[in-house]
Amino acid sequence: MTVKAPSGYAAIITGAGRGTRAGGEPKQWRDLRGRSVLARSLDAFAGFDRVVLVVHPDDMARAIRDFAGGVTIVTGGETRAASVMAGLQALDGQASHVLIHDGARPLVSDAVIQGVIDALQGGAQAAAPALPVSDALWNGAEGAVTGTTSRAGLFRAQTPQGFTLDQISNAHRLHPDDAADDVELALKAGIPVAITPGSEDNLKITFPADFARAERILGTAMDIRLGNGYDVHAFGPGDHVWLCGVQIAHEAGLVGHSDADVGMHALTDAIYGALAEGDIGRHFPPSDPQWKGADSAIFLAHAADLARERGFTFGNADVTLICEAPKIGPHAVAMQARLAQIMDVDPSRISVKATTSERLGFTGRREGIAAIATAALIRA
Ligand code: MG
């Protein structure tokens, strides 16, 4: 989800700094779990009509390669204020409001952005997120505490900082000297600034340890995987079939290398699919005689264990058997219980249902049974 900004809202993402206090290449270009810091910062503003990215001249080619299309890319100046000014000029008056965001804050949440927008929409001339200071504050010198400072009324400033385009552009023209942030310039220009809720996760990446912290925060994001599976087995000689781990008397059997449990095979493949781990054939080659006549519970248990090894739990699984006969309904609860037992999950997370194919096709002609399955895996 990204915030859908009201029409007329623009965003400026500042990424022109050469700051290397985080170590190595400029922090905003470094990889953070597969995407650059700047890419993550830009993602958060994808729902804005206009987005201007301000980069260092040395990074222009890379910025065009990574972000061209949808984003206006301009080069910044010597100071932060000069870079913001370049972004404001690129908007050329074509916006009512602008949110100015530090590109080194890649984990800004929708709620933080929405809070700024809501304040502006509610009539605030300017609004910016902050967190009240909760630690005690000391004065210190030469490694010793020399005094204390009251934390009452003190806030830690964050971004995005939101303004009307006219007012912040004027403030920058009036006070071209550098400032810690745009709120400081706004105050110098006499613009009142509302404080909106900030977030501890909206950290500014400055030091090497900040990358580790950002990765930990990202690591708590939920990873949800879906997989599907499909299988078919033909009827052959026999007097029973195995379906979802339940033996059912029938006028024919199912042909297969293992016990031909078509439903369990589809479910097993759905789990392997969610893990991007191929299919049953990859883990239990049919060319291997040890799996002849095997209980398919071995396959399902292996897939479920693999999911758990990777840190996943089961959201749910849904199996549909497609056949004219045998009747599945009377066995569905037993199938649900057996699959849940093999996967070691609560039966309420497992669904087994059936349909005919209206006598159409191979299942309709009672030549075999087909099964489809879906599995959802969750890693919190
Ligand atoms: Mg099969």
Side-chain angles (χ1 to χ4, degrees):
M1 282 292 289
T2 50
V3 172
K4 178 70 190 121
S7 113
Y9 273 66
I12 294 174
I13 313 299
T14 61
R18 290 281 89 186
T20 53
R21 277 182 290 176
E25 69 179 316
K27 61 198 177 183
Q28 67 271 31
W29 289 102
R30 280 185 55 188
D31 179 87
L32 180 58
R33 286 268 172 98
R35 287 176 70 62
S36 71
V37 168
L38 216 39
R40 290 184 178 278
S41 299
L42 281 165
D43 283 350
F45 294 87
F48 282 62
D49 284 347
R50 293 199 61 187
V51 177
V52 178
L53 171 64
V54 188
V55 298
H56 190 274
D58 293 352
D59 297 326
M60 195 60 184
R62 180 175 181 175
I64 290 169
R65 189 194 66 205
D66 286 6
F67 306 124
V71 176
T72 304
I73 306 168
V74 299
T75 55
E78 285 293 304
T79 61
R80 187 186 174 283
S83 290
V84 172
M85 193 63 181
L88 291 168
Q89 281 164 353
L91 287 174
D92 195 25
Q94 302 298 305
S96 61
H97 294 80
V98 60
L99 270 60
I100 302 169
H101 185 63
D102 191 331
R105 293 186 189 269
L107 303 184
V108 61
S109 66
D110 290 355
V112 168
I113 296 171
Q114 192 66 54
V116 175
I117 292 173
D118 288 348
L120 294 172
Q121 290 294 93
Q125 292 182 54
L131 289 171
V133 170
S134 56
D135 293 330
L137 294 176
W138 298 339
N139 304 92
E142 292 167 8
V145 178
T146 57
T148 61
T149 296
S150 168
R151 67 188 172 211
L154 290 183
F155 288 83
R156 292 150 55 202
Q158 298 188 337
T159 71
Q161 302 180 346
F163 310 90
T164 65
L165 181 58
D166 284 350
Q167 284 192 326
I168 196 63
S169 298
N170 279 333
H172 273 269
R173 273 192 292 271
L174 284 170
H175 302 281
D177 44 321
D178 204 18
D181 61 11
D182 297 287
V183 164
E184 183 179 336
L185 280 179
L187 292 177
K188 281 183 182 175
I191 305 165
V193 182
I195 299 174
T196 60
S199 161
E200 286 293 346
D201 289 351
N202 187 19
L203 78 164
K204 181 175 180 178
I205 293 190
T206 308
F207 301 106
D210 296 332
F211 273 93
R213 196 179 142 209
E215 282 177 356
R216 276 199 302 277
I217 292 166
L218 282 170
T220 61
M222 198 176 270
D223 186 358
I224 299 175
R225 306 290 187 88
L226 286 181
N228 67 65
Y230 175 73
D231 196 27
V232 171
H233 282 269
F235 284 124
D239 58 8
H240 68 274
V241 294
W242 283 96
L243 291 173
C244 295
V246 174
Q247 189 178 31
I248 302 172
H250 190 54
E251 65 200 18
L254 286 171
V255 182
H257 187 69
S258 63
D259 62 11
D261 189 330
V262 62
M264 208 178 303
H265 293 177
L267 176 55
T268 305
D269 275 352
I271 297 167
Y272 286 135
L275 297 170
E277 269 289 345
D279 58 15
I280 296 177
R282 179 157 134 197
H283 297 275
F284 301 94
S287 54
D288 187 337
Q290 70 169 306
W291 308 122
K292 181 148 181 58
D295 178 349
S296 295
I298 297 167
F299 311 151
L300 180 58
H302 176 266
D305 286 346
L306 193 59
R308 258 184 283 273
E309 264 172 40
R310 302 270 166 91
F312 288 96
T313 57
F314 284 93
N316 72 307
D318 186 17
V319 182
T320 301
L321 298 164
I322 303 155
C323 58
E324 303 293 327
K327 284 259 172 284
I328 304 301
H331 307 283
V333 171
M335 292 175 173
Q336 180 188 17
R338 177 63 182 141
L339 294 177
Q341 180 189 30
I342 297 164
M343 293 165 69
D344 193 18
V345 298
D346 192 272
S348 68
R349 293 182 184 274
I350 307 290
S351 154
V352 177
K353 58 196 194 299
T355 182
T356 71
S357 51
E358 300 289 348
R359 298 183 188 165
L360 296 172
F362 68 88
T363 52
R365 292 188 298 270
R366 298 173 183 244
E367 293 166 5
I369 298 181
I372 61 170
T374 306
L377 308 185
I378 299 169
R379 184 163 58 188

